Amino acid sequence: MTAPTAQATLGGGCFWCTEAVFQQIRGVRSVESGYAGGHVDAPTYEAVCEGGTGHAEVVRVTFDPAELSYRDVLEIFFASHDPTTRDRQGNDVGPQYRSVIFWHDEAQRATAQALIAEYDRDLTFGAPLVTELAPLTTFWPAERHHHDYFRRNPLQPYCAFVVSPKVAKIRRTFASRLAHP
């Protein structure tokens, strides 16, 4: 009998970064890159990058809630990107790179809303968060070549200069949560 799992759908910039961050966390069973939040069926990477589909690049994180709570997932998510910049993460600019949490149920919505309020109250990130909260309607998996991208392409320039530092930061910040320290 397999342990029950839960899912979180999160957009924090380029999905290559977010996928790589969560792949190293203990309790995460799988991470899949994709698209959510748009108005076009079966979007392609090219269409999403053009900015007209309304989709965000997201990851669907499947995790074991006995090992990792939804709040834990959100804390890692917020630490892995800048939730204070609208439609931008570093040099990646456009609505597809927005900070967004697509909640799956009311409990997830309430947890996310409470954590955002806490971070805003404490000015944890030095400015108010612009992270959107929206119900998940449809998750569209990204094309196969986007899956496991960082693991397969660690020396690709974007991976070396953008993804790798994010992964290293999370390894330092959440060392006790790593699957393989």
Side-chain angles (χ1 to χ4, degrees):
M1 183 173 180
T2 59
T5 58
Q7 290 187 328
T9 304
L10 309 165
C14 174
F15 47 36
W16 298 342
C17 295
T18 314
E19 178 189 66
V21 161
F22 279 103
Q23 285 178 328
Q24 63 185 338
I25 303 298
R26 187 178 62 254
V28 171
R29 298 295 174 249
S30 67
V31 186
E32 183 176 16
S33 292
Y35 314 104
H39 55 270
V40 173
D41 287 348
T44 64
Y45 180 74
E46 291 74 20
V48 171
C49 285
E50 288 173 5
T53 70
H55 291 88
E57 288 191 17
V58 299
V59 294
R60 179 169 54 190
V61 180
T62 301
F63 62 99
D64 180 348
E67 290 186 66
L68 190 67
S69 73
Y70 182 67
R71 182 183 168 106
D72 294 333
V73 169
L74 293 182
E75 288 174 354
I76 294 164
F77 164 69
F78 281 117
S80 71
H81 76 292
D82 181 353
T84 67
T85 56
R86 188 170 310 283
D87 296 341
R88 174 183 207 120
Q89 290 299 308
N91 290 331
D92 294 332
V93 179
Q96 69 272 26
Y97 300 118
R98 66 190 180 270
S99 178
V100 59
I101 298 169
F102 291 102
W103 45 271
H104 293 226
D105 57 34
E106 282 299 313
Q108 285 190 357
R109 183 200 57 74
T111 300
Q113 200 167 35
L115 186 57
I116 289 169
E118 179 183 319
Y119 285 159
D120 279 346
R121 181 188 67 242
D122 298 342
L123 279 178
T124 302
F125 294 94
L129 275 61
V130 297
T131 304
E132 295 176 23
L133 289 178
L136 179 66
T137 53
T138 304
F139 172 86
W140 298 99
E143 298 82 349
R144 283 299 325 148
H145 64 276
H146 291 295
H147 295 257
D148 227 12
Y149 195 85
F150 178 65
R151 284 186 183 167
R152 291 183 299 102
N153 302 282
L155 301 179
Q156 189 261 11
Y158 185 90
C159 290
F161 295 107
V162 178
V163 183
S164 188
K166 287 186 181 205
V167 168
K169 175 188 175 192
I170 295 303
R171 290 188 68 76
R172 285 189 311 274
T173 306
F174 294 96
S176 66
R177 294 221 170 264
L178 297 178
H180 308 286

